[in-house]
Amino acid sequence: MIVMSAEERVAAKWLRRRGVRVAEPTTVLTARLSVRGGKPAPEAFTVVFLLGAVTCFGIFGYQMLRLLPGVDHGDLPDGGVCSLIAAWALLRTWLHIRAGDRRAAVQLGDRRLDRPPPPWPEVVSGWYLTALLITFGGGAVLGVALAARGSVWALFWLGLLALGAVVDGVILTGVLRRPVLAEDEGSLAVDAVTRREDVLLAPPSVFAVPVVPDLVLEDLPGSPWFLGYVALAVATHAVAWFVQRRRAPALPAGGYYGETG
């Protein structure tokens, strides 16, 4: 009887949800899939702890901005803390996944297949690019328009939007530039699936929604435009999520993913 570790159980569950049943996943797939199933990577604990400390300092500093001269009570976006927490959560997840992939790369060593990463149009759907453009491009246009009219709130909003763009950019760049981590056809298929699903780790509309508290609690100029912006950002992101999931290929039944019994 095969006794699986906690990481192997999580990896086996990931495979089972995609139609593949194994009693013991390979070490490479265990390293990669356990973190995607929610099992943290010990190698990432230090950098994740530092990220948490920086985030706490950032939240405290954000609240202290209210004390700056010329900053009124309503000038600071009410959803700013939500944006900072969202940035922390996304980067934390990404750091654990990156650590698992790096562990798999070490385990592969010279056995890694020499395959180039797929071109980005094969990985990222057009709907996802549209969601990114609406969230960050559309939000920037609205923010600049308000800032040109002297809105201090808009300047802070643009800063939070820029933070979200950087976070999503870091994650997407890492996904698209990541080398292929595979040793056979089975792990190659898993690499293709994870690459397309990892795009979803950078959800754009997460950084559009924090404007909602200001629309509800404050008399924000251009509120109808911002309401339409948030609705469009969330709607396109929802469509992009489903389209992106469908781009992930099915795992071939004949591939080797681990011991089956």
Side-chain angles (χ1 to χ4, degrees):
M1 178 179 178
I2 298 176
V3 178
M4 291 193 293
S5 65
E7 290 80 7
E8 289 172 335
R9 286 195 297 271
V10 173
K13 184 178 179 180
W14 189 97
L15 291 168
R16 188 164 59 251
R17 289 200 302 265
R18 288 154 182 82
V20 174
R21 293 184 175 273
V22 295
E24 185 180 11
T26 65
T27 56
V28 169
L29 294 184
T30 296
R32 301 199 69 192
L33 302 181
S34 61
V35 289
R36 287 170 170 81
K39 193 70 176 177
E43 301 94 330
F45 282 171
T46 299
V47 66
V48 167
F49 174 81
L50 292 174
L51 175 66
V54 170
T55 302
C56 290
F57 180 80
I59 292 174
F60 175 78
Y62 182 78
Q63 300 292 351
M64 291 299 101
L65 291 175
R66 301 180 189 274
L67 303 179
L68 290 176
V71 178
D72 296 330
H73 174 73
D75 287 337
L76 211 60
D78 293 322
V81 172
C82 295
S83 294
L84 294 173
I85 293 175
W88 164 80
L90 296 178
L91 287 176
R92 175 187 177 277
T93 301
W94 171 245
L95 288 171
H96 280 293
I97 286 178
R98 188 182 67 165
D101 286 346
R102 288 183 171 180
R103 188 198 315 168
V106 171
Q107 292 171 348
L108 280 171
D110 295 336
R111 294 182 290 111
R112 191 172 76 185
L113 295 179
D114 185 16
R115 303 284 180 86
W120 70 264
E122 294 183 10
V123 179
V124 183
S125 70
W127 275 102
Y128 203 86
L129 292 176
T130 302
L132 288 169
L133 181 61
I134 290 174
T135 298
F136 299 115
V141 169
L142 291 174
V144 169
L146 282 184
R149 296 167 56 185
S151 171
V152 177
W153 178 94
L155 296 177
F156 287 120
W157 160 251
L158 288 171
L160 293 170
L161 200 64
L163 171 66
V166 169
V167 170
D168 278 4
V170 167
I171 295 174
L172 288 174
T173 300
V175 172
L176 296 175
R177 296 184 61 183
R178 183 174 67 211
V180 172
L181 300 175
E183 59 183 332
D184 50 31
E185 292 305 314
S187 55
L188 185 62
V190 170
D191 185 87
V193 172
T194 56
R195 193 179 300 272
R196 286 156 179 80
E197 290 186 354
D198 285 352
V199 170
L200 301 174
L201 297 173
S205 68
V206 166
F207 296 101
V209 172
V211 78
V212 172
D214 292 279
L215 299 175
V216 175
L217 302 175
E218 306 288 345
D219 185 18
L220 184 66
S223 290
W225 288 98
F226 273 99
L227 282 172
Y229 157 72
V230 173
L232 191 57
V234 172
T236 53
H237 182 198
V239 174
W241 189 90
F242 285 103
V243 172
Q244 190 66 31
R245 294 282 295 187
R246 290 176 64 88
R247 290 175 73 89
L251 297 178
Y256 179 71
Y257 308 97
E259 298 299 325
T260 58

